[in-house]
C-alpha cells in the first residue's frame, strides 16, 4: 500500500518537474528575445546618438522627409560610398559619381549639409546604426478603434512565467517532503526504523496545529492562503500592467505629421484641437480643417506634377475633385486611430487642466511637435494623475477660476483654526496643491 503510494507520488513529482523545466526553457527564451529586440551594439548606439543629433531634422529611417528614407540604404550603397557621401556630398558629386548625382536630382537638387566635422569612425558608427536598425514593433489594432493586444513577448509574460516557476518549485518541495515521510513510515512498518531526524521548531508548531485542527479545515486554510497570495498578485498585476498603453504608436490612415505641422509650420495646437480649452474632450479635427490649407497645398513639385498621394487621401475623404474643384456627395470621414484612452470609469477634463490650471499640452502628451507619428507619452495610470495633483501648485492669485477660493483664503489668513490659514507658507505666500483642494477624492475622477 505505502509502496504503491510512493510510486504514484514519484510520477506526480516527475510531471511537475518537467513542467518546471519547460517553463524555465521558455523563461530563458523570453529573456533572450527581450534582449535581442532591444539591444543595439555599442557602436550602433553611438551611431544612433549622432544620427539623432545631426540628421533627423531631414531624415527618418522609415519615411521620406526632406531627404530620402534611410532604411536599407546600406544595401543600396557601399560603406565607402556612404562615408564619402555623408562627410562631403558636394565633393562626391563633383567627382562625377553617378549615384551621387542621381540621388541629388531625384530629390529636387536639395543640398544635404556637409559633415566634415564628423570623423570617419563616427560616420561608420552611423552606418552601423543603419545596418542594425529595425522598424519599431507596430501595434495593429483589429478594427480601426480598438487598443492593441499586449505582445506575447513582453516583460509581463516574463514576470508571469517567473512567478509560475516559483510556485511550482514550492509544490516540488512539498512533494519531496511528503515522499520522505512516506518512506519513513514504510521503514517504520518494515521495522527498520533506526533514527528519525529531530523535527525543527517550525515543524513542531506546524504538526501541533495540524493535530489540533480538523484535517479538512487545515487543508482549506492552506488553500485559502495560497489563493490570497495569487489574488493579491493578480490585483497588483491588474493595477500596474493591464491597460497601460504607454508608447502606443499606431500607424495612422494618413501620414499626418505633427512634426511638420506643429513643429516646422508652428501651427498652434488649438487651431486643430480647438475644444481643448472649452470642453472635456480635446477632439481630433475634422477634414474640413485640413482643407483650409490643403485645397492649395498639393505638393505637386515633389511628385512629378501629381498631387501628393497622402493629400489625395484628404480629397477622397471630402469627396473633392481637385481638377474641377467640386465636391461630390459621398464623403468618408478619416478613421483616425485613437491613441489616448482612459477606461470608462475614469473622468478627465481637458478644459479644467488646460484653461483652469494652465498645464501645457506637452506636460501630459510630451514633445508632440517633434513626433512624426503620435505616441502615448504618459502612462495615464491613476498614480500618474495623483502624483501630479500632489506636486503641482494652483495659481489661485492670477486665475479667475479660483477667485472665490482666493478670497476665502485671504479672508481666513489670520484665523489659525481655519484650514485655509494652512495654505500660507512662512513668508506669507499662498501654497496650495490640487490635492489639498480636493483633487484626490475618488468621486472627482470616478463616476
Ligand atoms: C538639411 C537636410 C539634411 C541633413 C541635415 C542630412 N541630410 Fe542626408 N540627405 C538630404 C537630402 C535632401 C538627400 C537627398 C540627396 C540630395 O538631394 O542631396 C540626402 C541623402 C542622404 C543619403 C543618401 C540616400 C540614398 O538613398 O542614397 C544618405 C546616406 C544620407 N543623406 C545620410 C545622412 C546622414 C547620416 C546625415 C546626418 C549626419 C544626414 N544625411 C543629414 C538632406 C539632409
Ligand atoms: C493641423 C492640425 C493639427 C495640429 C496643429 C495639431 N494636431 Fe494633434 N492631431 C491632429 C490629428 C489629425 C490627429 C489624429 C491623427 C494622429 O494621431 O496623428 C491628432 C492627434 C493628436 C493627439 C493624439 C490623439 C489621440 O488619439 O489620443 C494628441 C495628444 C495631439 N494631437 C496633441 C497635439 C498637440 C499637443 C499639438 C500642438 C503641439 C497638436 N496636437 C497640434 C491634428 C493636429
Ligand atoms: C495651416 C495649414 C495646414 C493645415 C491646417 C494642414 N496642413 Fe498639412 N501641410 C501643410 C503644409 C504647408 C505642408 C507641406 C510641408 C512641407 O514643406 O513638407 C503640409 C504637409 C502635409 C502632408 C505631407 C504630404 C506629403 O506628401 O509630404 C500631409 C499628409 C498633411 N499635410 C496632412 C494634413 C492633414 C491630415 C491635415 C488636417 C488634420 C492637415 N495636413 C492640415 C499645411 C497645412
Ligand atoms: C493633465 C494632462 C493633460 C493635458 C494638460 C492635456 N491632455 Fe490631452 N489627454 C489627456 C488624457 C488623460 C487624455 C485621455 C482622455 C480620455 O480618454 O478621456 C487625453 C486625450 C487627448 C486627445 C484625444 C482625444 C480626446 O479628447 O480624448 C487629444 C487630441 C488631446 N488629448 C490633445 C491635447 C491638447 C491639444 C492639449 C493642450 C491644449 C492637451 N491634450 C492637454 C491628458 C492631458
Ligand atoms: C501635470 C499635472 C496633472 C496631471 C498629470 C493630472 N492633473 Fe488633474 N489637475 C491638475 C491641476 C493643476 C488641477 C487644478 C486644481 C484644482 O482644480 O483643484 C487638476 C484638477 C483636476 C480635477 C478637478 C478637481 C477639483 O477639485 O474639482 C480632476 C477631476 C482631475 N484633475 C482629474 C485628473 C485625472 C483623471 C488625471 C489623470 C488621467 C489628471 N487629473 C492628471 C493637474 C494634473
Ligand atoms: C485624480 C484622479 C483620480 C482619483 C482622485 C482617483 N482615481 Fe482611481 N483611477 C483614475 C484613473 C485615471 C484610472 C484608470 C487607470 C488606468 O487605466 O490604468 C483609475 C483606476 C482605478 C481603479 C481600477 C484599477 C485600474 O488601475 O485600472 C480603481 C479600483 C480605482 N481607480 C479606485 C479609486 C479609489 C478607491 C479612489 C479614491 C481613494 C480613486 N480611485 C481616486 C483616476 C483617479
Amino acid at each position: 500500500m505505502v509502496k504503491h503510494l510512493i510510486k504514484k507520488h514519484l510520477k506526480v513529482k516527475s510531471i511537475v518537474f518537467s513542467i518546471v523545466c519547460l517553463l524555465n526553457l521558455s523563461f530563458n527564451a523570453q529573456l533572450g528575445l527581450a534582449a535581442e529586440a532591444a539591444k543595439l551594439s555599442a557602436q550602433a548606439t553611438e551611431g544612433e546618438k549622432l544620427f539623432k543629433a545631426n540628421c533627423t531634422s531631414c531624415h527618418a529611417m522609415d519615411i521620406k522627409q526632406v531627404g530620402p528614407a534611410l532604411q536599407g540604404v546600406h544595401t543600396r550603397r557601399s560603406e565607402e560610398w556612404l562615408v564619402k557621401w555623408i562627410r562631403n556630398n558636394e565633393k562626391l558629386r563633383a567627382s562625377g559619381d553617378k549615384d551621387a548625382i542621381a540621388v541629388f536630382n531625384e530629390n529636387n537638387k536639395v543640398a544635404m549639409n556637409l559633415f566634415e566635422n564628423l570623423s570617419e569612425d563616427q560616420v561608420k558608427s552611423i552606418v552601423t546604426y543603419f545596418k542594425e536598425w529595425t522598424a519599431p514593433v507596430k501595434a495593429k489594432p483589429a478594427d480601426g478603434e480598438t487598443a492593441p493586444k499586449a505582445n506575447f513577448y513582453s516583460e509581463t509574460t516574463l514576470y508571469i512565467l517567473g512567478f509560475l516557476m516559483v510556485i511550482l518549485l514550492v509544490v516540488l518541495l512539498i512533494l519531496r517532503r511528503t515522499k520522505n515521510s512516506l518512506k519513513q513510515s514504510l521503514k517504520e512498518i518494515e521495522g527498520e526504523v533506526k533514527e528519525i531526524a529531530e523535527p525543527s521548531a517550525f515543524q513542531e508548531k506546524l504538526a501541533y496545529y495540524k493535530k489540533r485542527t480538523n484535517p479538512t479545515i487545515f487543508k482549506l486554510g492552506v488553500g485559502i492562503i495560497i489563493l490570497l497570495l495569487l489574488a493579491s498578485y493578480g490585483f497588483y498585476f491588474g493595477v500596474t500592467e493591464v491597460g497601460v498603453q504607454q508608447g502606443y504608436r499606431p500607424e495612422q490612415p494618413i501620414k499626418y505629421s505633427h512634426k511638420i505641422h506643429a513643429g516646422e509650420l508652428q501651427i498652434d495646437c488649438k487651431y486643430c484641437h480647438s475644444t481643448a480649452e472649452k470642453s472635456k474632450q480635446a477632439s481630433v479635427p475634422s477634414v474640413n480643417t485640413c482643407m483650409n490649407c490643403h485645397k492649395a497645398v498639393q505638393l505637386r513639385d515633389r511628385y512629378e506634377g501629381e498631387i501628393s498621394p497622402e493629400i489625395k487621401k484628404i480629397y477622397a475623404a471630402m469627396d473633392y475633385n481637385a481638377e474641377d474643384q467640386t465636391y461630390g456627395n459621398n464623403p468618408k470621414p478619416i478613421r483616425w486611430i485613437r491613441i489616448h484612452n482612459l477606461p470608462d470609469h475614469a473622468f478627465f477634463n481637458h478644459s479644467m487642466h488646460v484653461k483652469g490650471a494652465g498645464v501645457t499640452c506637452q506636460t501630459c502628451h510630451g514633445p508632440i511637435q517633434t513626433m512624426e507619428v503620435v505616441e502615448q507619452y504618459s502612462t495615464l495610470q491613476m498614480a500618474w494623475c495623483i502624483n501630479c495633483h500632489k506636486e503641482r501648485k494652483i495659481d489661485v492669485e492670477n486665475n479667475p477660476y479660483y477667485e472665490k477660493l482666493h478670497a476665502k483664503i485671504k479672508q481666513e489668513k489670520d484665523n489659525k483654526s481655519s484650514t485655509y490659514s494652512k495654505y500660507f507658507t512662512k513668508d506669507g505666500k499662498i501654497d496650495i496643491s490640487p490635492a489639498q483642494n480636493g483633487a484626490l477624492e475618488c468621486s472627482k475622477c470616478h463616476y
Side-chain angles (χ1 to χ4, degrees), residues 379-415:
T379 62
L380 303 199
Q381 279 180 291
M382 184 163 135
W384 173 72
C385 315
I386 300 278
N387 281 346
C388 179
H389 286 178
K390 286 186 185 156
E391 281 162 16
R392 286 286 285 218
K393 301 292 170 223
I394 312 177
D395 183 9
V396 285
E397 268 156 288
N398 304 312
N399 193 335
Y401 190 79
Y402 296 116
E403 214 171 331
K404 275 195 192 143
L405 179 67
H406 190 209
K408 189 87 184 155
I409 295 176
K410 271 199 300 198
Q411 185 194 329
E412 304 276 329
K413 180 173 182 182
D414 297 317
N415 179 1

Short mmCIF file of all heavy atoms in Angstrom, two decimals, residues 379-415:
data_model
loop_
_atom_site.label_atom_id
_atom_site.label_comp_id
_atom_site.label_asym_id
_atom_site.label_seq_id
_atom_site.Cartn_x
_atom_site.Cartn_y
_atom_site.Cartn_z
N THR A 379 1.81 57.36 -18.76
CA THR A 379 1.17 56.06 -18.52
C THR A 379 -0.35 56.19 -18.50
O THR A 379 -1.05 55.23 -18.80
CB THR A 379 1.59 55.47 -17.17
OG1 THR A 379 1.16 56.37 -16.15
CG2 THR A 379 3.08 55.27 -17.08
N LEU A 380 -0.87 57.36 -18.12
CA LEU A 380 -2.29 57.60 -17.89
C LEU A 380 -2.85 56.73 -16.77
O LEU A 380 -4.05 56.49 -16.68
CB LEU A 380 -3.16 57.39 -19.15
CG LEU A 380 -2.87 58.17 -20.41
CD1 LEU A 380 -4.08 58.15 -21.33
CD2 LEU A 380 -2.47 59.60 -20.17
N GLN A 381 -1.97 56.23 -15.91
CA GLN A 381 -2.45 55.44 -14.78
C GLN A 381 -2.90 56.38 -13.67
O GLN A 381 -2.51 57.54 -13.62
CB GLN A 381 -1.33 54.57 -14.24
CG GLN A 381 -1.14 53.32 -15.04
CD GLN A 381 -0.01 52.50 -14.45
OE1 GLN A 381 1.15 52.90 -14.53
NE2 GLN A 381 -0.35 51.40 -13.86
N MET A 382 -3.68 55.80 -12.74
CA MET A 382 -4.19 56.60 -11.64
C MET A 382 -3.05 57.26 -10.87
O MET A 382 -3.13 58.44 -10.50
CB MET A 382 -5.00 55.70 -10.72
CG MET A 382 -5.65 56.43 -9.60
SD MET A 382 -6.93 55.38 -8.91
CE MET A 382 -6.60 55.62 -7.19
N ALA A 383 -1.97 56.52 -10.64
CA ALA A 383 -0.86 57.07 -9.86
C ALA A 383 -0.27 58.30 -10.55
O ALA A 383 0.18 59.24 -9.89
CB ALA A 383 0.23 56.01 -9.69
N TRP A 384 -0.31 58.30 -11.87
CA TRP A 384 0.22 59.44 -12.62
C TRP A 384 -0.62 60.69 -12.32
O TRP A 384 -0.09 61.76 -12.07
CB TRP A 384 0.21 59.09 -14.10
CG TRP A 384 0.57 60.19 -15.03
CD1 TRP A 384 1.80 60.73 -15.23
CD2 TRP A 384 -0.32 60.88 -15.92
NE1 TRP A 384 1.73 61.72 -16.18
CE2 TRP A 384 0.45 61.82 -16.62
CE3 TRP A 384 -1.68 60.77 -16.20
CZ2 TRP A 384 -0.11 62.66 -17.58
CZ3 TRP A 384 -2.24 61.61 -17.15
CH2 TRP A 384 -1.46 62.54 -17.83
N CYS A 385 -1.94 60.53 -12.36
CA CYS A 385 -2.82 61.66 -12.05
C CYS A 385 -2.56 62.14 -10.63
O CYS A 385 -2.37 63.33 -10.38
CB CYS A 385 -4.30 61.29 -12.15
SG CYS A 385 -4.80 60.32 -13.57
N ILE A 386 -2.55 61.19 -9.70
CA ILE A 386 -2.45 61.53 -8.27
C ILE A 386 -1.12 62.24 -7.98
O ILE A 386 -1.10 63.24 -7.28
CB ILE A 386 -2.53 60.23 -7.41
CG1 ILE A 386 -3.87 59.53 -7.66
CG2 ILE A 386 -2.30 60.54 -5.94
CD1 ILE A 386 -5.04 60.05 -6.91
N ASN A 387 -0.03 61.71 -8.52
CA ASN A 387 1.28 62.32 -8.26
C ASN A 387 1.28 63.79 -8.64
O ASN A 387 1.77 64.63 -7.89
CB ASN A 387 2.38 61.60 -9.05
CG ASN A 387 2.77 60.32 -8.37
OD1 ASN A 387 2.41 60.11 -7.21
ND2 ASN A 387 3.47 59.47 -9.08
N CYS A 388 0.77 64.08 -9.82
CA CYS A 388 0.78 65.47 -10.24
C CYS A 388 -0.12 66.30 -9.33
O CYS A 388 0.22 67.42 -9.00
CB CYS A 388 0.37 65.62 -11.69
SG CYS A 388 0.37 67.34 -12.20
N HIS A 389 -1.23 65.74 -8.93
CA HIS A 389 -2.14 66.51 -8.07
C HIS A 389 -1.50 66.82 -6.73
O HIS A 389 -1.87 67.78 -6.06
CB HIS A 389 -3.46 65.76 -7.86
CG HIS A 389 -4.33 65.78 -9.07
ND1 HIS A 389 -5.53 65.15 -9.14
CD2 HIS A 389 -4.16 66.39 -10.27
CE1 HIS A 389 -6.07 65.35 -10.34
NE2 HIS A 389 -5.25 66.11 -11.03
N LYS A 390 -0.53 66.01 -6.34
CA LYS A 390 0.16 66.30 -5.07
C LYS A 390 1.29 67.31 -5.28
O LYS A 390 1.60 68.10 -4.41
CB LYS A 390 0.75 65.01 -4.49
CG LYS A 390 -0.30 64.10 -3.89
CD LYS A 390 0.41 62.93 -3.23
CE LYS A 390 -0.54 61.89 -2.71
NZ LYS A 390 0.14 60.58 -2.61
N GLU A 391 1.92 67.23 -6.46
CA GLU A 391 3.12 68.04 -6.67
C GLU A 391 2.85 69.44 -7.19
O GLU A 391 3.53 70.39 -6.83
CB GLU A 391 4.06 67.33 -7.66
CG GLU A 391 4.85 66.23 -7.01
CD GLU A 391 5.43 65.26 -8.02
OE1 GLU A 391 5.47 65.60 -9.22
OE2 GLU A 391 5.83 64.16 -7.60
N ARG A 392 1.86 69.56 -8.09
CA ARG A 392 1.61 70.87 -8.70
C ARG A 392 1.06 71.84 -7.68
O ARG A 392 0.49 71.45 -6.67
CB ARG A 392 0.57 70.75 -9.83
CG ARG A 392 1.03 70.12 -11.08
CD ARG A 392 1.90 70.96 -11.90
NE ARG A 392 1.29 72.05 -12.64
CZ ARG A 392 1.69 72.36 -13.87
NH1 ARG A 392 2.60 71.65 -14.48
NH2 ARG A 392 1.18 73.39 -14.48
N LYS A 393 1.21 73.11 -7.98
CA LYS A 393 0.58 74.14 -7.18
C LYS A 393 -0.52 74.77 -8.02
O LYS A 393 -0.43 74.80 -9.25
CB LYS A 393 1.61 75.21 -6.81
CG LYS A 393 2.78 74.65 -6.01
CD LYS A 393 2.35 74.20 -4.64
CE LYS A 393 3.45 73.43 -3.93
NZ LYS A 393 2.93 72.24 -3.25
N ILE A 394 -1.53 75.27 -7.34
CA ILE A 394 -2.56 76.02 -8.08
C ILE A 394 -2.21 77.49 -7.97
O ILE A 394 -1.86 77.98 -6.89
CB ILE A 394 -3.95 75.82 -7.46
CG1 ILE A 394 -4.23 74.35 -7.21
CG2 ILE A 394 -5.00 76.41 -8.36
CD1 ILE A 394 -5.56 74.13 -6.53
N ASP A 395 -2.31 78.18 -9.08
CA ASP A 395 -2.06 79.61 -9.06
C ASP A 395 -3.37 80.32 -8.77
O ASP A 395 -4.04 80.80 -9.67
CB ASP A 395 -1.47 80.04 -10.42
CG ASP A 395 -1.13 81.52 -10.43
OD1 ASP A 395 -1.19 82.14 -9.34
OD2 ASP A 395 -0.80 82.04 -11.49
N VAL A 396 -3.74 80.38 -7.49
CA VAL A 396 -5.06 80.94 -7.17
C VAL A 396 -5.10 82.45 -7.35
O VAL A 396 -6.16 83.02 -7.55
CB VAL A 396 -5.49 80.61 -5.72
CG1 VAL A 396 -5.93 79.17 -5.61
CG2 VAL A 396 -4.41 80.92 -4.73
N GLU A 397 -3.91 83.08 -7.29
CA GLU A 397 -3.91 84.54 -7.33
C GLU A 397 -4.26 85.10 -8.70
O GLU A 397 -4.99 86.07 -8.81
CB GLU A 397 -2.54 85.06 -6.90
CG GLU A 397 -2.49 85.34 -5.41
CD GLU A 397 -1.08 85.28 -4.87
OE1 GLU A 397 -0.53 84.17 -4.77
OE2 GLU A 397 -0.52 86.34 -4.58
N ASN A 398 -3.71 84.45 -9.75
CA ASN A 398 -3.86 85.05 -11.08
C ASN A 398 -4.85 84.33 -11.97
O ASN A 398 -4.89 84.54 -13.16
CB ASN A 398 -2.49 85.09 -11.77
CG ASN A 398 -1.48 85.82 -10.92
OD1 ASN A 398 -1.75 86.91 -10.44
ND2 ASN A 398 -0.33 85.20 -10.70
N ASN A 399 -5.64 83.45 -11.40
CA ASN A 399 -6.57 82.70 -12.21
C ASN A 399 -8.01 82.99 -11.79
O ASN A 399 -8.41 82.66 -10.67
CB ASN A 399 -6.27 81.21 -12.06
CG ASN A 399 -6.99 80.38 -13.10
OD1 ASN A 399 -8.02 80.81 -13.61
ND2 ASN A 399 -6.45 79.22 -13.40
N PRO A 400 -8.77 83.63 -12.69
CA PRO A 400 -10.15 84.00 -12.33
C PRO A 400 -10.97 82.78 -11.87
O PRO A 400 -11.92 82.92 -11.10
CB PRO A 400 -10.71 84.59 -13.62
CG PRO A 400 -9.74 84.27 -14.70
CD PRO A 400 -8.42 84.02 -14.05
N TYR A 401 -10.56 81.60 -12.35
CA TYR A 401 -11.25 80.36 -11.99
C TYR A 401 -11.27 80.15 -10.48
O TYR A 401 -12.17 79.54 -9.93
CB TYR A 401 -10.49 79.23 -12.69
CG TYR A 401 -11.12 77.87 -12.68
CD1 TYR A 401 -12.15 77.56 -13.55
CD2 TYR A 401 -10.65 76.89 -11.82
CE1 TYR A 401 -12.70 76.30 -13.56
CE2 TYR A 401 -11.19 75.62 -11.83
CZ TYR A 401 -12.21 75.33 -12.70
OH TYR A 401 -12.75 74.08 -12.71
N TYR A 402 -10.22 80.65 -9.79
CA TYR A 402 -10.11 80.42 -8.34
C TYR A 402 -10.42 81.66 -7.52
O TYR A 402 -10.00 81.78 -6.38
CB TYR A 402 -8.70 79.91 -8.00
CG TYR A 402 -8.40 78.58 -8.62
CD1 TYR A 402 -7.39 78.44 -9.56
CD2 TYR A 402 -9.13 77.46 -8.27
CE1 TYR A 402 -7.13 77.22 -10.15
CE2 TYR A 402 -8.88 76.23 -8.85
CZ TYR A 402 -7.88 76.13 -9.79
OH TYR A 402 -7.63 74.93 -10.37
N GLU A 403 -11.15 82.59 -8.14
CA GLU A 403 -11.43 83.85 -7.47
C GLU A 403 -12.00 83.65 -6.07
O GLU A 403 -11.52 84.20 -5.10
CB GLU A 403 -12.42 84.65 -8.33
CG GLU A 403 -12.20 86.14 -8.26
CD GLU A 403 -13.07 86.84 -9.30
OE1 GLU A 403 -13.37 86.23 -10.36
OE2 GLU A 403 -13.46 87.98 -9.05
N LYS A 404 -13.03 82.79 -5.99
CA LYS A 404 -13.71 82.59 -4.70
C LYS A 404 -12.78 81.97 -3.68
O LYS A 404 -12.72 82.39 -2.53
CB LYS A 404 -14.92 81.67 -4.90
CG LYS A 404 -16.14 82.41 -5.34
CD LYS A 404 -17.38 81.53 -5.17
CE LYS A 404 -18.57 82.15 -5.87
NZ LYS A 404 -19.42 81.13 -6.50
N LEU A 405 -12.05 80.94 -4.12
CA LEU A 405 -11.11 80.25 -3.23
C LEU A 405 -10.08 81.24 -2.72
O LEU A 405 -9.76 81.28 -1.52
CB LEU A 405 -10.44 79.11 -4.00
CG LEU A 405 -9.40 78.29 -3.23
CD1 LEU A 405 -10.06 77.49 -2.12
CD2 LEU A 405 -8.66 77.34 -4.18
N HIS A 406 -9.58 82.08 -3.63
CA HIS A 406 -8.57 83.06 -3.27
C HIS A 406 -9.10 84.02 -2.21
O HIS A 406 -8.45 84.28 -1.19
CB HIS A 406 -8.13 83.83 -4.52
CG HIS A 406 -6.93 84.69 -4.29
ND1 HIS A 406 -6.69 85.83 -4.99
CD2 HIS A 406 -5.90 84.56 -3.43
CE1 HIS A 406 -5.57 86.38 -4.57
NE2 HIS A 406 -5.06 85.62 -3.62
N ALA A 407 -10.29 84.51 -2.42
CA ALA A 407 -10.90 85.45 -1.48
C ALA A 407 -11.03 84.79 -0.11
O ALA A 407 -10.69 85.37 0.92
CB ALA A 407 -12.26 85.89 -1.99
N LYS A 408 -11.48 83.54 -0.11
CA LYS A 408 -11.70 82.80 1.13
C LYS A 408 -10.37 82.63 1.88
O LYS A 408 -10.30 82.85 3.09
CB LYS A 408 -12.29 81.43 0.78
CG LYS A 408 -12.76 80.64 1.97
CD LYS A 408 -14.19 81.00 2.33
CE LYS A 408 -14.62 80.26 3.59
NZ LYS A 408 -15.68 80.96 4.30
N ILE A 409 -9.33 82.26 1.13
CA ILE A 409 -8.03 82.04 1.78
C ILE A 409 -7.52 83.34 2.39
O ILE A 409 -7.04 83.37 3.53
CB ILE A 409 -7.00 81.50 0.75
CG1 ILE A 409 -7.43 80.12 0.26
CG2 ILE A 409 -5.63 81.39 1.38
CD1 ILE A 409 -6.52 79.55 -0.82
N LYS A 410 -7.64 84.43 1.63
CA LYS A 410 -7.16 85.72 2.13
C LYS A 410 -7.91 86.12 3.41
O LYS A 410 -7.33 86.56 4.38
CB LYS A 410 -7.36 86.81 1.07
CG LYS A 410 -6.15 86.91 0.15
CD LYS A 410 -6.10 88.24 -0.59
CE LYS A 410 -7.34 88.43 -1.45
NZ LYS A 410 -7.21 89.44 -2.48
N GLN A 411 -9.22 85.86 3.37
CA GLN A 411 -10.08 86.24 4.48
C GLN A 411 -9.69 85.48 5.75
O GLN A 411 -9.71 86.02 6.84
CB GLN A 411 -11.52 85.93 4.08
CG GLN A 411 -12.58 86.36 5.06
CD GLN A 411 -13.90 85.70 4.70
OE1 GLN A 411 -14.19 85.42 3.54
NE2 GLN A 411 -14.71 85.41 5.71
N GLU A 412 -9.30 84.21 5.60
CA GLU A 412 -9.03 83.36 6.76
C GLU A 412 -7.56 83.33 7.15
O GLU A 412 -7.15 82.52 7.96
CB GLU A 412 -9.50 81.92 6.48
CG GLU A 412 -10.95 81.80 6.09
CD GLU A 412 -11.88 81.75 7.30
OE1 GLU A 412 -11.44 81.24 8.35
OE2 GLU A 412 -13.02 82.23 7.17
N LYS A 413 -6.76 84.19 6.50
CA LYS A 413 -5.31 84.14 6.69
C LYS A 413 -4.89 84.08 8.16
O LYS A 413 -4.03 83.29 8.55
CB LYS A 413 -4.65 85.34 6.02
CG LYS A 413 -3.14 85.34 6.19
CD LYS A 413 -2.48 86.43 5.38
CE LYS A 413 -0.97 86.31 5.57
NZ LYS A 413 -0.23 87.31 4.88
N ASP A 414 -5.49 84.93 8.99
CA ASP A 414 -5.01 85.01 10.36
C ASP A 414 -5.83 84.16 11.32
O ASP A 414 -5.58 84.13 12.52
CB ASP A 414 -5.02 86.48 10.81
CG ASP A 414 -4.03 87.28 9.96
OD1 ASP A 414 -2.93 86.75 9.73
OD2 ASP A 414 -4.40 88.37 9.50
N ASN A 415 -6.82 83.47 10.80
CA ASN A 415 -7.64 82.60 11.63
C ASN A 415 -6.97 81.22 11.75
O ASN A 415 -7.18 80.35 10.92
CB ASN A 415 -9.03 82.49 11.02
CG ASN A 415 -9.93 81.56 11.82
OD1 ASN A 415 -9.51 81.02 12.84
ND2 ASN A 415 -11.15 81.39 11.35
#
